[in-house]
Amino acid sequence: MSLPPSTDLYDVIARRRDVRAEFSGEAIDCDVLRRVLDAAHSAPSVGHSQPWDFVLVADEGRRSTFAEHVETERRVFADQLAGERRERFERIKVEGIRESGLGVVVTYDSSRGGQHVLGRHAIADTGLYSTCLAIQNLWLAATAEGLGVGWVSFYREEFLADLVGLPDGVRPVAWLCLGPVTQLQDVPDLVRHGWRTGRSLDDAVHLETWRS
Ligand SMILES: Cc1cc2nc3c(=O)[nH]c(=O)nc-3n(C[C@H](O)[C@H](O)[C@H](O)COP(=O)(O)O)c2cc1C
């Protein structure tokens, strides 16, 4: 079973979910994967530096090794919690690394674009912002194609860099679980599990200054 594709931008934005439990385990069609990566690679970037790379991890052994590391980090976080909060967290699945079939490690290379990246001289983080835009493009394109994406950040950067052989100076920004899904939830997992409700748009919008 696969989800129907959609090309309506607002529909795709509304349907996009962070996916953990709904991966079907089926393989991704090569043409679809190419389109999704092409969408990511079309993102805006500071000074047109395109500082991202995408390491595709299909090997079961490597994904298992990463999943074990993530489990260790999940426990590190769980140990910081107490009582009801901890019980609630223990019920939340935080990754679908084995089930998704493909991991996409999105990386950031601050040396891409040379010494004088146009627009980055005052704000070094603009390189990282650019990489996150590539991730969001990938996420939306995957959703449009009927695929699911789950961002995993329960890891130590050195571990993941070593696992996928990143050169010095190249940082992993995300492990994205990517694959066909049986469904996309209507409500974010963290809301469904009572971990955290969302804020309203009106609370996030300020007129002229922060206080108004
Ligand atoms: C930078 C970043 C890191 C995230 N890391 C994780 C993670 O490690 N595990 C997880 O289950 N979800 C992770 N998420 C997903 C968020 O929990 C999710 O986006 C949020 O709860 C809202 O749900 P939605 O994406 O389905 O709307 C991450 C999202 C972002 C943007």
Side-chain angles (χ1 to χ4, degrees):
M1 195 186 110
S2 56
L3 299 186
S6 168
T7 52
D8 181 83
L9 179 63
Y10 284 96
D11 175 52
V12 169
I13 288 171
R15 285 202 315 161
R16 184 210 56 78
R17 279 276 77 77
D18 185 85
V19 176
R20 291 93 152 171
E22 292 82 12
F23 291 109
S24 68
E26 291 164 276
I28 306 171
D29 178 271
C30 288
D31 292 341
V32 173
L33 178 60
R34 183 81 196 169
R35 283 200 295 274
V36 168
L37 292 173
D38 195 40
H41 193 58
S42 304
S45 60
V46 65
H48 202 39
S49 54
Q50 300 179 298
W52 49 71
D53 283 273
F54 309 100
V55 183
L56 308 182
V57 186
D59 179 73
E60 254 185 64
R62 191 169 277 113
R63 283 188 292 116
S64 251
T65 303
F66 183 62
E68 283 160 24
H69 172 72
V70 166
E71 175 53 22
T72 306
E73 290 302 325
R74 193 194 67 77
R75 272 187 267 122
V76 168
F77 182 68
D79 286 344
Q80 296 169 5
L81 306 170
E84 189 272 336
R85 213 55 188 147
R86 177 162 187 157
E87 279 169 31
R88 206 172 277 274
F89 175 69
E90 294 290 3
R91 290 197 290 271
I92 299 173
K93 185 170 167 59
V94 297
E95 50 82 16
I97 298 161
R98 293 189 178 92
E99 302 92 318
S100 61
L102 186 69
V104 180
V105 180
V106 185
T107 63
Y108 169 57
D109 181 356
S110 61
S111 71
R112 187 79 46 74
Q115 200 189 342
H116 301 291
V117 175
L118 187 154
R120 207 185 67 184
H121 80 283
I123 306 174
D125 285 344
T126 48
L128 271 177
Y129 303 161
S130 306
T131 303
C132 292
L133 291 171
I135 293 171
Q136 180 70 344
N137 268 16
L138 184 156
W139 210 333
L140 292 176
T143 307
E145 297 281 2
L147 301 175
V149 173
W151 185 324
V152 183
S153 55
F154 282 76
Y155 62 82
R156 301 289 157 172
E157 287 191 20
E158 319 81 68
F159 183 92
L160 183 52
D162 186 51
L163 184 70
V164 300
L166 300 185
D168 283 349
V170 176
R171 281 179 69 183
V173 177
W175 175 292
L176 303 176
C177 302
L178 177 63
V181 285
T182 52
Q183 60 159 326
L184 291 172
Q185 298 288 345
D186 288 334
V187 177
D189 279 11
L190 298 192
V191 178
R192 286 192 303 124
H193 287 286
W195 178 261
R196 189 171 166 83
T197 54
R199 302 165 68 207
S200 76
L201 173 62
D202 287 337
D203 284 345
V205 174
H206 307 261
L207 298 177
E208 307 294 349
T209 66
W210 182 267
R211 287 174 191 281
S212 48

